[in-house]
Amino acid sequence: MDYFHRVDGDLFCEDLPVADLAARFGTPLYVYSRRTFVEHYEKLDRAFADVPHAICYSVKANGNLGVLRTLASLGCGADVVSGGELHRALLAGIPPERIVYSGVGKTGAELAAAVDAGIRAVNVENVEELRVLSEIATGMGRVQPCALRVNPDVDPHTHEYLTTGRSENKFGIPLAEVGAAAGLAATLPAVPLVGLDFHIGSQILSHVPYQAALRQAREVVEDLRRRGFEIRHLDIGGGLAVRYDHERPMTADEFHDGIIDLVRDLSLALILEPGRFIIGPAGVLVAEVLFVKEAGGKRFVILDAGMNDLIRPALYDAVHRIEPVRRADGDAAPADVVGPVCESGDFLGRDRALPAVRRGDLVAVMTAGAYGAAMSSNYNQRPRAAEVLVYGADATIVRRRETYEDLVRLES
Ligand code: LLP
């Protein structure tokens, strides 16, 4: 579900023609629909209304302050994985008691910043981190509630790079070592163990892998409680898929119905860390066609946006639908939709059905709200795209286009 739709064949974001946005703000341009991500947040929030829960939006998916401020205003929390994300979340007005901090490699400075802010929980991913965190918090005269991130060794059936809860992945504490880690936490002065956490991967289509992880987590929670730990929350990470092409991801209600029986009787608060589910469908990347070229028996549609703007196709073989922005009559024919970056891996879609387009036409790369702008770079010295947030008939620039000045500003 999203608020990108067609009026007489022309693509609109909410009440605004996307072509007008491109004319106003230039291309490449990320266009976000506020209604879309607000509705996705609300759907998930409503689906879990029958249990105490907190939604901690995964900032890494799209940390734009305009997005974060909007979510903050709805009462949404944040899942952060770096000091930079923590800074952004706080700046956007997300209260520290709604922030959790995951990540395999947190620096001392990052942990200190989390303690200083007074966040809800640090998701600790190894035993040594527990010791370091306790030392830091003690030095600051503070305590830092934490959760142990366990690695449940579950296959989420997604892309290899998006799998995080198998035993061979770098994330979390192996199940067999969780008891010992908890034992250590109990001897340390400043790291009360209040929760358990897992995150098994991303773009997960079914609730079944979550069930598998939850069965394991239940046992750990029960065991820790028997040993006297007051486990108050269970963080089940993010990972809910969105529809890019022909996938059939679960709805918020299906997700809830699929897992809730494994959670309800534990009487603890559930934390969810969705990123993509909230912001993925709420964004498109708009680009202009620079050239159309026939070569090697192929049609290449060359855009002014490339892998530096959206790396997902190159990195994960991800498929994003690509559509003309203006009404296009005529039959679709195969095309490789590529960018200007000097790499053969610089494509946004290969062998895609696209109607005839010519120089100056606009195309939209759909479902690009998550891990689009967030993973963009200046490779080939390309200034990063502008980002615009649409709400009804209003459009606000939430990140201006970078300039050549910006590209060299930090160098001497
Ligand atoms: N929590 C933790 C600890 C995570 O590592 C992640 C994502 C999330 C939550 C949010 O996952 P989501 O709900 O968005 O699936 N760049 C990749 C996705 C990498 C996800 C990394 N961790 C992509 O473009 O598909």
Side-chain angles (χ1 to χ4, degrees):
M1 193 288 309
D2 62 58
Y3 287 92
F4 293 94
H5 57 107
R6 300 256 163 200
V7 178
D8 289 336
D10 292 336
L11 184 67
F12 273 59
C13 175
E14 303 198 6
D15 303 338
L16 295 176
V18 170
D20 287 3
L21 294 169
R24 252 168 90 188
F25 303 113
T27 55
L29 180 70
Y30 273 101
V31 177
Y32 305 129
S33 154
R34 184 189 194 274
R35 279 186 188 149
T36 306
F37 67 82
V38 166
E39 276 196 20
H40 281 88
Y41 166 78
E42 287 176 342
K43 271 186 190 165
L44 205 53
D45 194 39
R46 269 199 306 271
F48 284 88
D50 61 340
V51 291
H53 71 279
I55 297 181
C56 293
Y57 168 71
S58 192
V59 172
K60 69 174 77 65
N62 185 329
N64 184 283
L65 289 173
V67 171
L68 295 184
R69 288 212 168 98
T70 305
L71 290 171
S73 74
L74 305 173
C76 185
D79 156 55
V80 301
V81 291
S82 69
E85 288 191 357
L86 175 62
H87 177 72
R88 246 171 211 281
L90 293 169
L91 200 61
I94 297 179
E97 62 275 12
R98 294 205 181 129
I99 299 178
V100 296
Y101 186 172
S102 315
V104 281
K106 309 177 188 83
T107 66
E110 289 176 318
L111 289 171
V115 174
D116 185 52
I119 66 168
R120 177 168 185 174
V122 169
N123 293 332
V124 172
E125 304 218 13
N126 69 70
V127 166
E128 189 155 22
E129 183 184 342
L130 211 51
R131 280 205 194 89
V132 171
L133 178 60
S134 181
E135 230 170 78
I136 289 171
T138 305
M140 295 168 71
R142 301 276 292 275
V143 296
Q144 175 58 58
C146 43
L148 296 178
R149 175 167 175 182
V150 301
N151 182 323
D153 193 18
V154 162
D155 186 352
H157 302 292
T158 182
H159 189 279
E160 177 195 353
Y161 293 175
L162 308 185
T163 297
T164 51
R166 301 293 312 264
S167 57
E168 66 264 30
N169 300 134
K170 67 180 176 180
F171 300 96
I173 300 172
L175 270 175
E177 291 167 31
V178 172
L184 173 67
T187 67
L188 295 171
V191 282
L193 185 57
V194 299
L196 202 72
D197 166 50
F198 63 77
H199 170 75
I200 54 176
S202 196
Q203 186 60 8
I204 302 172
L205 290 160
S206 142
H207 60 267
V208 174
Y210 289 91
Q211 289 180 331
L214 274 167
R215 283 192 197 98
Q216 318 252 32
R218 280 181 67 87
E219 280 184 30
V220 178
V221 169
E222 280 161 357
D223 179 53
L224 292 177
R225 282 181 170 166
R226 272 194 298 275
R227 290 171 55 192
F229 292 95
E230 253 188 70
I231 303 299
R232 297 199 289 265
H233 78 245
L234 179 59
D235 182 339
I236 62 172
L240 277 81
V242 302
R243 180 173 184 174
Y244 285 105
D245 193 20
H246 297 300
E247 307 91 336
R248 164 72 178 85
M250 52 192 162
T251 64
D253 286 328
E254 284 166 352
F255 179 52
H256 166 274
D257 296 349
I259 64 164
I260 204 66
D261 287 344
L262 289 164
V263 174
R264 211 191 302 271
D265 64 317
L266 288 174
S267 48
L268 36 64
L270 201 59
I271 294 181
L272 298 109
E273 302 174 353
R276 189 189 319 263
F277 181 85
I278 290 178
I279 198 68
V284 301
L285 172 61
V286 185
E288 191 176 299
V289 175
L290 297 177
F291 300 104
V292 179
K293 154 166 130 177
E294 307 273 346
K298 277 187 169 186
R299 176 172 62 134
F300 289 98
V301 173
I302 303 167
L303 305 180
D304 66 355
M307 68 189 296
N308 74 295
D309 300 296
L310 180 67
I311 202 172
R312 301 195 68 260
L315 195 55
Y316 315 112
D317 269 323
V319 174
H320 288 257
R321 278 178 293 117
I322 301 177
E323 302 179 0
V325 166
R326 291 203 185 81
R327 177 197 188 108
D329 299 318
D331 292 340
D336 277 16
V337 182
V338 302
V341 171
C342 301
E343 301 231 11
S344 292
D346 177 29
F347 55 86
L348 294 176
R350 283 190 292 192
D351 207 16
R352 308 296 286 280
L354 199 69
V357 286
R358 349 176 238 154
R359 179 171 169 80
D361 286 351
L362 297 167
V363 300
V365 184
M366 308 302 289
T367 327
Y371 308 107
M375 294 179 80
S376 64
S377 77
N378 292 128
Y379 186 42
N380 277 204
Q381 291 309 300
R382 292 171 45 76
R384 258 175 284 222
E387 296 170 68
V388 60
L389 181 55
V390 171
Y391 183 29
D394 285 337
T396 312
I397 279 282
V398 286
R399 190 174 206 269
R400 70 160 170 78
R401 184 176 306 287
E402 285 177 345
T403 62
Y404 291 151
E405 252 319 282
D406 292 325
L407 294 182
V408 293
R409 201 158 30 143
L410 303 178
E411 292 168 43
S412 53

